[in-house]
Amino acid sequence: MAVEVGSIVEGKITGVKKFGAFVALPGGQTGMVHISEVSNEYIQELSDVLSEGQTVKVKVMSISPEGKIALSIKRTEPRPPRPQRADTGRTWQPRTQSQLQGEMSFEDMMSQFKSRSEEKISDLRRVTEARRGGGYSRRGH
C-alpha cells in the first residue's frame, strides 16, 4: 500500500528525539512527526508524550522528492474550539484631543509640562549626586 499525501494511517513509533518522532508506516516506509505536529498543547519533552513501540494515528502532510515523509498526529483529531472573547457591546473609538487633555488651555498644559520636567530633573540630579558620593574627594594625597 503506497502512502499518499492527505491520507490517515496507523504506524508504530520507532524512535523519539528532541525534535520529533520517527514512525514506521505500512509498506515499510518511515516518516517523521515534528514536535510541533504532535499536539495542540505545548510539549516540553516529547519523550513525556510518546514512546518507542507506541501505535499512533498519523496524517501524511507531505512527501519530498527525496522520499522524506512529513507526518502529523494533531491533524488527525478535530481542532479544539478557540476561546471566545466576551462581547462588551462597545466599539473602539479614538479619543479627541480635548478628551486627552481634559479641556485644558495651552497655558495650563505648559505649566503642567514645566512642573513635571522640573520634578524629573531634580530627581535625576538627586540620583546622580548620590552615585558620585555627593561631596569632595581627595585624589592623590
Side-chain angles (χ1 to χ4, degrees), residues 92-107:
W92 181 83
Q93 297 241 332
R95 292 184 178 173
T96 63
Q97 195 67 18
S98 62
Q99 287 173 323
L100 290 174
Q101 296 165 354
E103 304 294 336
M104 295 174 67
S105 69
F106 179 75
E107 288 78 19

Side-chain angles (χ1 to χ4, degrees), residues 5 8 14 24 31 34 37 52-53 63 66 70 75 79-80 87 89-91 95 97 100 106 110 122 127 129-130:
V5 175
I8 295 176
T14 59
H34 188 267
E37 290 294 327
E52 281 190 44
I63 302 173
E66 298 84 33
R75 296 184 194 214
R79 201 167 192 183
D87 185 17
R90 296 184 295 169
T91 57
R95 292 184 178 173
Q97 195 67 18
L100 290 174
F106 179 75
M110 281 304 290
S122 66
V127 170
E129 288 297 319

Side-chain angles (χ1 to χ4, degrees), residues 1-46:
M1 173 183 152
V3 177
E4 297 176 7
V5 175
S7 62
I8 295 176
V9 296
E10 276 197 1
K12 214 170 224 161
I13 296 178
T14 59
V16 178
K17 304 289 182 191
K18 285 185 179 254
F19 54 86
F22 294 96
V23 180
L25 301 171
Q29 295 176 305
T30 301
M32 191 195 81
V33 180
H34 188 267
I35 189 170
S36 64
E37 290 294 327
V38 172
S39 173
N40 287 309
E41 304 294 321
Y42 175 74
I43 297 175
Q44 181 75 33
E45 284 292 324
L46 194 55

Side-chain angles (χ1 to χ4, degrees), residues 49-112:
V49 181
L50 300 174
S51 59
E52 281 190 44
Q54 181 180 355
T55 302
V56 290
K57 193 186 295 185
V58 294
K59 181 174 183 177
V60 180
M61 302 308 297
S62 65
I63 302 173
S64 73
E66 298 84 33
K68 294 182 178 180
I69 303 172
L71 305 171
S72 175
I73 295 173
K74 74 179 183 181
R75 296 184 194 214
T76 61
E77 304 161 359
R79 201 167 192 183
R82 286 186 142 182
Q84 297 293 321
R85 295 190 316 182
D87 185 17
T88 60
R90 296 184 295 169
T91 57
W92 181 83
Q93 297 241 332
R95 292 184 178 173
T96 63
Q97 195 67 18
S98 62
Q99 287 173 323
L100 290 174
Q101 296 165 354
E103 304 294 336
M104 295 174 67
S105 69
F106 179 75
E107 288 78 19
D108 292 338
M109 288 188 291
M110 281 304 290
S111 67
Q112 186 180 30

